[in-house]
Amino acid sequence: MRVRLSWVLLMACAFVDAAPSVRSVHKVKETISPPSKWTRGDRAPSNAIIELRIALPQSNFAELERHLNEVSDPFHERYGQHLSKEEVDALITPHPDSVSLVDEWLALYGLRESNLARTASGDWIKVKIPISLAEEMLDTTYHVYTHSSGTTALRTTSYSLPEHLHDHIELVQPTTLFSTFKRQATTFHFDKEEKFTQAVNAPPINVPTASGGKVDASCNTTITISCLKQLYNAVGYVPSAKNGNKVAVTGYLEQFANLQDLQLFYADQRPDALNSSFTFVSVNGGLNNQTVADAGAEADLDTQFAFGLTHPIPATFFSTAGRPPFIPDIGETQNTNEPYLDWLDFILNERNPPQTISTSYADDEQTVPKSFAQRACNGFATLGARGVSLTFSSGDGGVGDGDPDPATQQCFTNDGTNRTEFIPGFPPSCPFVTAVGGTIHIPETAVFFSGGGFSNVFPRPEFQNPAVPNFLKKLPKGTFAGLFNPNGRAFPDVSAQADNFKIFFQGTPGLIGGTSASAPTFAGFVALLNDARIKAGLPTLGFLNPLIYAIGATHPTAFNDITTGNNPGCGTEGFNATVGWDAVTGWGTPNFGRLKDLVTGKFR
């Protein structure tokens, strides 16, 4: 929405007049090194409008995490006893002292309750103000930064807060956040129709763990809903449309899910689903335009396969508006925050969110300030405590998911030292989401682009012991020394097929690949498992990772272990898939039949 320049100037003057005459003593809150691939330009226009997000400390997140661990541990007596929205909100509501002190500080600059927007629990405050006022409040200077891709953002590399507020404000953004939030690098290509059917008359492939022990030969070149159900032992399972189970995918960056494409897909692969659809939910003004040209390959892939696998489970497509880059037009108000924080605000305020949600968008972890990553990750934990399973694609750059140098294919750190290092992605590196890697072909092998590695922000969670140390012991001594953090949260957790998916895009069939395919695929099977649990009178699965690692350790045949392939990147061959958990395919791909028996019985 365009704002009249005269109004902006008047508002800026009003804010300046209301500012305190004596500056409070400020102390630096956060400083980062100038990020690579971003070039600093002119000072930001002083009367451009920016929306600041102010994070207040969540009063008892440690207690929430304790609850999350207990209700997610299949060996704990509280397993499955998810918290209510009210119980979660009570644990993350800021302490009254923090609220009071921050409100007093904002009031010094003329910012009253009518100027503010708060999340349901009050742990985030949002306010739209001129850049000049943001600079005064944060004792900083904003500049126009331009990324090598051509996108721009209004950012700073350091900001300060009054010293007495440091314990009452965790972070303020957008300030030091230089992320390039993007959908995973799906590849889409058209093939002659005969490629889709060239193997139809070939004998089936013997796969002992598949439904009936065989998979159609055509699945080796073209993945369909039928292929996935055969391969992952789910043929014949019929979910309910009316037991309260729901599944969803998220859409960002103007990726729209086309309804005509969905019907073409259903006619081709799920004729029983014809004339059914999903519920569209707009977040922060998100759209779902339906012209042919507006169809998004990512959105089409996510909705067609997640919802094709789970029909007739009620399905939702969330479209969230906003992009991190800010085009510095003085008269334009834009959302400059990470869109998935807007989505988190929305979904955490929902009383009955879908129990399974898949996302195929991410940042490079090193472009996300640690404070921001931790706070966003806490939001994912909050959803898990309420019984929501979150899957994220693990990335499409192998161990070098951070946009390697095109000439050398080397990956460099973003901290000013320019060290060579593997680049993990975020949110896949958050321990409270399930990261899904990729496989290809039948028998399955790791697909070369499967993102995997180790976080530089989040330590290894307890549920990853001893699986991850066992993997590290298998690495030849000195392998990749200094290139990754062996004590970090390791990912992916699991995997699924990730290439040659047949979708319909802008009215035409084609093949698409990426872990953008594996994440909604795995989510689809999670939704089916939730259906089976509800039918058995049990709660939904919620936060998956403790269960996944417990199953991997005690019932490994519930996953199809992938032991071949690797994920090259950063000028290296990357990690190798191996027996048990590995940093290419996690525990492997799902065996739905065996998982269903485990999660509907007494897990021991």
Side-chain angles (χ1 to χ4, degrees), residues 265-316:
F265 178 83
Y266 282 163
D268 183 63
Q269 299 190 33
R270 281 302 305 256
D272 59 318
L274 268 171
N275 300 318
S276 70
S277 188
F278 52 79
T279 298
F280 166 65
V281 175
S282 171
V283 179
N284 197 34
L287 303 174
N288 194 33
N289 295 344
Q290 290 300 301
T291 61
V292 172
D294 282 328
E298 178 69 64
D300 276 1
L301 165 65
D302 291 348
T303 52
Q304 288 172 25
F305 271 87
F307 304 158
L309 280 167
T310 58
H311 176 78
I313 296 173
T316 300

Side-chain angles (χ1 to χ4, degrees), residues 97-373:
D97 288 352
S98 295
V99 176
S100 176
L101 288 169
V102 172
D103 284 355
E104 289 175 6
W105 173 62
L106 293 172
L108 289 174
Y109 295 90
L111 300 172
R112 308 292 181 180
E113 191 63 32
S114 60
N115 304 116
L116 311 178
R118 301 179 193 266
T119 55
S121 59
D123 58 337
W124 284 97
I125 298 174
K126 293 188 288 186
V127 59
K128 294 180 180 180
I129 57 176
I131 283 287
S132 59
L133 182 56
E135 290 181 333
E136 184 170 0
M137 292 171 65
L138 303 176
D139 192 20
T140 191
T141 302
Y142 279 84
H143 285 82
V144 178
Y145 282 83
T146 303
H147 188 260
S148 57
S149 65
T151 58
T152 59
L154 305 187
R155 295 293 188 268
T156 180
T157 55
S158 178
Y159 70 94
S160 301
L161 291 169
E163 189 167 2
H164 75 282
L165 291 180
H166 275 232
D167 290 336
H168 302 282
I169 294 178
E170 285 190 352
L171 68 142
V172 180
Q173 291 293 351
T175 50
T176 57
L177 178 64
F178 285 86
S179 67
T180 52
F181 180 68
K182 57 188 181 294
R183 65 187 177 92
Q184 298 295 5
T186 49
T187 55
F188 187 83
H189 53 278
F190 294 99
D191 289 277
K192 293 181 179 180
E193 194 67 28
E194 52 261 31
K195 180 168 183 179
F196 299 138
T197 57
Q198 63 184 357
V200 167
N201 296 322
I205 304 168
N206 291 323
V207 181
T209 57
S211 294
K214 297 180 184 297
V215 176
D216 292 344
S218 61
C219 300
N220 218 353
T221 56
T222 303
I223 293 296
T224 63
I225 294 294
S226 176
C227 292
L228 294 172
K229 288 194 169 185
Q230 291 175 56
L231 182 61
Y232 297 144
N233 193 20
V235 172
Y237 184 81
V238 180
S240 170
K242 299 179 179 180
N243 61 7
N245 191 25
K246 292 179 287 185
V247 62
V249 298
T250 62
Y252 301 94
L253 309 180
E254 294 84 52
Q255 276 283 316
F256 306 134
N258 188 271
L259 297 174
Q260 289 185 337
D261 286 342
L262 181 66
Q263 295 306 314
L264 290 170
F265 178 83
Y266 282 163
D268 183 63
Q269 299 190 33
R270 281 302 305 256
D272 59 318
L274 268 171
N275 300 318
S276 70
S277 188
F278 52 79
T279 298
F280 166 65
V281 175
S282 171
V283 179
N284 197 34
L287 303 174
N288 194 33
N289 295 344
Q290 290 300 301
T291 61
V292 172
D294 282 328
E298 178 69 64
D300 276 1
L301 165 65
D302 291 348
T303 52
Q304 288 172 25
F305 271 87
F307 304 158
L309 280 167
T310 58
H311 176 78
I313 296 173
T316 300
F317 174 63
F318 294 104
S319 178
T320 303
R323 289 173 175 264
F326 182 97
I327 301 172
D329 177 347
I330 293 176
E332 188 76 21
T333 300
Q334 293 196 19
N335 173 5
T336 60
N337 292 295
E338 288 298 81
Y340 56 68
L341 271 191
D342 287 319
W343 178 79
L344 267 173
D345 288 349
F346 175 88
I347 201 70
L348 287 170
N349 198 39
E350 292 290 287
R351 188 158 297 279
N352 295 299
Q355 297 95 332
T356 309
I357 305 175
S358 178
T359 298
S360 296
Y361 300 76
D363 298 311
D364 304 332
E365 187 185 68
Q366 67 173 357
T367 69
V368 181
K370 184 176 180 180
S371 61
F372 183 93

Side-chain angles (χ1 to χ4, degrees), residues 35-79:
S36 63
K37 299 185 183 294
W38 288 90
T39 302
R40 194 179 85 171
D42 295 337
R43 281 195 64 170
S46 63
N47 41 14
I49 302 300
I50 194 167
E51 183 180 67
L52 287 185
R53 274 182 177 268
I54 303 167
L56 280 62
Q58 297 169 323
S59 58
N60 210 344
F61 182 79
E63 182 68 5
L64 182 144
E65 189 172 4
R66 181 184 71 80
H67 286 290
L68 173 64
N69 290 334
E70 290 182 357
V71 303
S72 306
D73 179 356
F75 298 115
H76 200 281
E77 62 183 3
R78 291 185 62 202
Y79 180 63

